Amino acid sequence: MTLELVSKTQCFDGSQCQYTHRSSVLDCAMRFSVFLPSQAEKDQRFPVLYWLSGLTCSDENFSQKAGAQRMAAELGIVLVIPDTSPRGDEVMDDPGYDLGQGAGFYVNATEEPWRAHYRMYDYVVDELPSLIEAHLPVSERRAICGHSMGGHGALTIALKNPARYTSVSAFSPICNPMACPWGEKALGAYLGPEKSAWEEYDTTVLMGRASEQLPILVSQGEDDPFLEEQLKPEALEAAASAVQYPVRIEYHAGYDHSYFFIASFIEQHLRFHADLLLAHE
């Protein structure tokens, strides 16, 4: 599998890059962005933070709006930002913003017509890291973070694969997708009507099944318009309390669901991950 460099821009003495490749898992061309700190030009390997974006986003939203590169450069961490879904004329789509292209929900679809391409779980967990570790100066030390739908993705992926990550964090995650409109629509379409299949991608369920515990940080804006109907952090708090899972949930007065919120607290999240990613470097 080969990478094609689309663009490379100097940023905080490092490089903000965009790549394309053919994904065998998703059976389509995929694009992702990477920030490489300046030290990556030397003969060293650096830990990686995977960022998963939310509904309607591509690999460009976080790289252009979050302002994460300055701190990543200082800490010596590579940022990898995949797209949120398979894309292309051959890939099934939906008229709604919350299903289809731009809304992969980080699951492996089992239902037609989605199953041919929508396997974002396998892409993020296996294919993309293998590609990154084969072609870029990174180590096998990984952390994962995301926003909204991507926060759901980061939490569920980490809970199902604790040995692959040092830590996980999320901004405004969809905590209980089995019980919110976004999740019910997406999980029903991708996985079918049997809700036992949905449980494999619901943080509140997976937390109760976890055999290992990872450090978790969650940031939530109190003025988020999706807070009550879609995000349901109280369900996450209840699930964590029931099994004594040490989740750190911080509420921030006045903040909403936007990238202004992410930009305001991304340094905290990067330092949270760096403490663990760099502990044994």
Side-chain angles (χ1 to χ4, degrees), residues 71-251:
M71 185 52 52
E74 179 180 320
L75 295 169
I77 293 174
V78 171
L79 305 175
V80 174
I81 309 132
D83 204 344
T84 52
S85 77
R87 297 186 192 264
D89 293 340
E90 74 275 24
V91 176
M92 182 63 185
D93 201 6
D94 184 87
Y97 74 93
D98 50 358
L99 187 68
Q101 296 187 35
F105 255 80
Y106 305 100
V107 305
N108 285 339
T110 57
E111 300 298 298
E112 300 293 353
W114 309 102
R115 61 185 297 175
H117 298 284
Y118 284 80
R119 300 185 61 83
M120 286 299 293
Y121 176 87
D122 280 352
Y123 180 72
V124 171
V125 173
D126 295 315
E127 187 178 41
L128 184 59
S130 295
L131 188 67
I132 295 296
E133 288 160 21
H135 292 276
L136 297 174
V138 302
S139 71
E140 294 183 356
R141 292 187 66 76
R142 314 172 196 95
I144 191 165
C145 181
H147 171 234
S148 193
M149 177 186 73
H152 142 79
L155 290 168
T156 56
I157 285 171
L159 286 169
K160 287 162 74 76
N161 302 275
R164 293 186 65 84
Y165 304 98
T166 63
S167 49
V168 55
S169 72
F171 290 85
S172 316
I174 301 171
C175 298
N176 188 194
M178 294 181 67
C180 76
W182 281 340
E184 290 170 354
K185 179 178 180 178
L187 298 181
Y190 295 141
L191 305 176
E194 181 52 59
K195 292 194 174 183
S196 62
W198 300 12
E199 293 179 354
E200 292 299 314
Y201 300 100
D202 189 298
T203 297
T204 65
V205 175
L206 294 174
M207 191 158 282
R209 299 175 178 175
S211 58
E212 298 179 45
Q213 294 185 338
L214 285 174
I216 296 179
L217 171 64
V218 173
S219 295
Q220 175 62 60
E222 292 183 351
D223 282 9
D224 191 320
F226 305 112
L227 180 60
E228 293 185 9
E229 183 180 30
Q230 304 283 10
L231 306 181
K232 302 187 181 296
E234 71 283 355
L236 175 59
E237 290 184 275
S241 177
V243 294
Q244 296 185 317
Y245 201 117
V247 178
R248 180 174 157 197
I249 303 178
E250 297 184 350
Y251 291 89

Side-chain angles (χ1 to χ4, degrees), residues 252-269:
H252 298 278
Y255 286 93
D256 60 14
H257 200 72
S258 71
Y259 266 85
F260 294 111
F261 174 46
I262 296 169
S264 298
F265 296 97
I266 191 63
E267 179 175 342
Q268 178 195 17
H269 281 244

